[in-house]
Amino acid sequence: MRRTSARRGRSGVALALAGGGPLGAVYEIGALNALAESVEGLDLNGMDQYVGVSAGAFITAGLANGITPAQLCRMFIAGHSAKVPLDPERFLMPAYGELMRRSWQATVLAAQGTVAFVRGGGSRSWMESFQRMTRALPTGLFDNDTIAAYLRKVFEAHGGSDDFRRLRSRLFLVATNLDTGEAAAFGSDGLDHVPISQAIQASAALPGLFPPVEIDGQWFVDGALKKTLHASVVLREGAGLVLCVNPLVPFNAARAMGLGRNDTRHLVDGGLPTVLGQTLRTMIHSRMEVGMARYELEYPNADIVLFEPDHGDSDMFFTNLFSYASRQRLCEHAYQQTRRALLARREELEPKLARHGMRLRLSVLQDASRPLVPAMSTLQRRRSGPLGRTALELNDTLDRLQAQLSRHAAAEQGR
């Protein structure tokens, strides 16, 4: 039976996180840490509803399970955890099972093609006879079963649950049905029996990188194939305020040069990866813009607030995430950028937040020297040995205590 949310009786407050791979997850963690400390009355572990897609599914599931933004930062950005250490290589394990199945299939298909070519007696071309070999191409290079296993350990270690029905809040994780092209919101009625870890595995199964995930005889891939944010899932459930974070925007080189952040005049100079990255971002963002405009028309009484990088943000476009240092720098960058956005958009945001019992902490936002990552770096230097582990466990405990006190204060205020 689903546990009752402490926020029931108030207008629904929801969080919607888009995808974006490791880059998107790092940006979202930085942005969420800024929101958590800058918006009074906002409890990111006590939202009424969450909806996550791909990388956003990882983050929303963690929040719904009581893992604070600060803990997410320590686990995934600073590269350590008191309970379940993160080894980035687990996300790049070859999909041996898929590769072996396809290799065997290639042998069979090659034999069939040879027979067809010989029997054709020259009437069929070599290409016609062997075109079936494309079926033997792997559907993904990396094993996402290891991701699901890791997530189960994370939920268990933090006293959470891998069962949608046991969460305090509604959690929706969106994937795309490969055979129909339709979106599936795991966690909704009829789809809440699926383990959360498996739903995340499906939502983040980007074709080509990870194999499709079989659930109840159906095959699912990345939820971003259908939409970017899927905020409509929580809007249909009556959310009155939806905080949205979209980490991927098309890069504007001219704007970046005007801001003094980049000396690249043409992205074509970056080669194929840069061109493909810009193409993907442009397609995703244009689709999201259409969706946001539709939300405003279909849900005029809902407040929808979107946070995303500046289009001239070269750090978001060119950052290399293969080192902890880069991840820390980008997370800090996202944290500071979101803080600046909150302050700059004060006139727009304050009325919307006030309607839902929240307000901006101006003293926090106006503190230009306030950092995020240095505290994480200090912990990282102390993580070795029993003393370091005790320090990390103490930080986790303090985070949980602070979250509990915030929820208790909000409940008392609502009485």
Side-chain angles (χ1 to χ4, degrees):
M1 180 178 295
R2 191 183 305 280
R3 293 178 284 189
T4 303
S5 170
R7 299 182 63 95
R8 290 291 179 257
R10 300 177 60 185
S11 59
V13 181
L15 178 69
L17 300 184
L23 179 77
V26 171
Y27 180 87
E28 288 172 345
I29 290 173
L32 291 172
N33 272 276
L35 289 171
E37 68 176 30
S38 303
V39 181
E40 185 175 328
L42 173 64
D43 179 7
L44 288 172
N45 294 112
M47 308 289 276
D48 289 289
Q49 302 172 66
Y50 302 85
V51 59
V53 183
S54 193
F58 283 83
I59 309 303
T60 52
L63 294 171
N65 265 294
I67 304 174
T68 67
Q71 287 175 314
L72 289 171
C73 191
R74 286 200 291 274
M75 290 168 61
F76 299 118
I77 308 304
H80 54 79
S81 168
K83 300 177 184 295
V84 188
L86 172 66
D87 178 5
E89 292 184 0
R90 75 170 64 245
F91 298 105
L92 298 175
M93 294 292 293
Y96 292 114
E98 170 72 3
L99 296 173
M100 291 179 63
R101 283 192 297 272
R102 297 294 173 171
S103 296
W104 170 249
Q105 192 174 12
T107 303
V108 175
L109 292 173
Q112 292 176 346
T114 302
V115 171
F117 182 74
V118 172
R119 287 181 177 177
S123 63
R124 300 181 64 180
S125 68
W126 182 88
M127 287 295 295
E128 287 179 313
S129 300
F130 287 91
Q131 64 180 355
R132 68 187 70 189
M133 288 291 293
T134 57
R135 301 178 192 173
L137 293 175
T139 57
L141 299 177
F142 303 114
D143 182 11
N144 46 13
D145 285 335
T146 58
I147 297 175
Y150 172 74
L151 290 169
R152 288 192 292 272
K153 291 180 181 178
V154 169
F155 298 151
E156 180 181 357
H158 287 85
S161 174
D162 199 27
D163 189 334
F164 285 100
R165 297 163 295 189
R166 294 184 57 81
L167 299 178
R168 295 177 63 251
S169 307
R170 295 299 301 274
L171 171 65
F172 303 98
L173 305 176
V174 183
T176 304
N177 188 310
L178 184 61
D179 292 318
T180 65
E182 295 300 316
F186 294 104
S188 58
D189 294 341
L191 291 175
D192 55 0
H193 65 286
V194 177
I196 294 173
S197 56
Q198 190 177 31
I200 296 173
Q201 181 184 0
S203 182
L206 182 64
L209 289 182
F210 297 105
V213 177
E214 183 182 10
I215 299 175
D216 294 342
Q218 301 288 319
W219 295 91
F220 295 90
V221 293
D222 197 313
L225 269 64
K226 187 69 175 179
K227 290 182 184 177
T228 305
L229 267 173
H230 289 277
S232 58
V233 173
V234 292
L235 287 166
R236 284 196 298 267
E237 294 289 324
L241 171 66
V242 184
L243 301 178
C244 308
V245 182
N246 170 50
L248 294 187
V249 298
F251 180 65
N252 187 323
R255 176 170 172 76
M257 290 183 66
L259 296 172
R261 297 177 181 173
N262 181 47
D263 58 1
T264 300
R265 291 183 177 273
H266 303 291
L267 292 182
V268 69
D269 297 336
L272 180 61
T274 302
V275 172
L276 289 178
Q278 178 74 336
T279 302
L280 178 64
R281 288 164 179 260
T282 302
M283 293 172 59
I284 288 176
H285 198 262
S286 63
R287 189 173 55 184
M288 192 204 67
E289 289 179 317
V290 172
M292 293 296 289
R294 189 172 64 248
Y295 297 154
E296 292 180 2
L297 291 175
E298 294 180 358
Y299 305 96
N301 296 322
D303 292 311
I304 306 170
V305 181
L306 173 66
F307 296 95
E308 59 183 12
D310 187 284
H311 287 248
D313 192 338
S314 56
D315 284 326
M316 272 299 295
F317 193 81
F318 294 104
T319 291
N320 181 349
L321 289 179
F322 287 98
S323 72
Y324 282 126
S326 294
R327 271 172 268 178
Q328 289 181 351
R329 182 176 57 80
L330 179 59
C331 192
E332 179 77 38
H333 177 73
Y335 168 79
Q336 297 294 353
Q337 186 202 55
T338 304
R339 281 165 37 83
R340 290 192 294 269
L342 285 166
L343 195 57
R345 296 169 62 184
R346 175 183 175 185
E347 186 175 338
E348 166 209 348
L349 295 176
E350 284 189 326
K352 294 181 179 180
L353 295 173
R355 285 195 284 270
H356 305 275
M358 305 177 196
R359 68 181 183 90
L360 295 177
R361 292 190 176 103
L362 295 181
S363 61
V364 172
L365 292 173
Q366 291 169 344
D367 181 3
S369 64
R370 192 181 185 97
L372 170 66
V373 170
M376 306 301 162
S377 300
T378 300
L379 283 173
Q380 189 173 13
R381 288 194 297 269
R382 297 174 181 172
R383 64 181 172 173
S384 60
L387 185 60
R389 184 176 182 84
T390 300
L392 290 172
E393 290 175 345
L394 177 59
N395 271 274
D396 286 346
T397 301
L398 290 174
D399 282 338
R400 288 195 296 272
L401 177 59
Q402 183 177 3
Q404 289 290 345
L405 290 174
S406 298
R407 280 193 286 272
H408 178 71
E412 288 293 323
Q413 197 174 42
R415 289 179 179 175

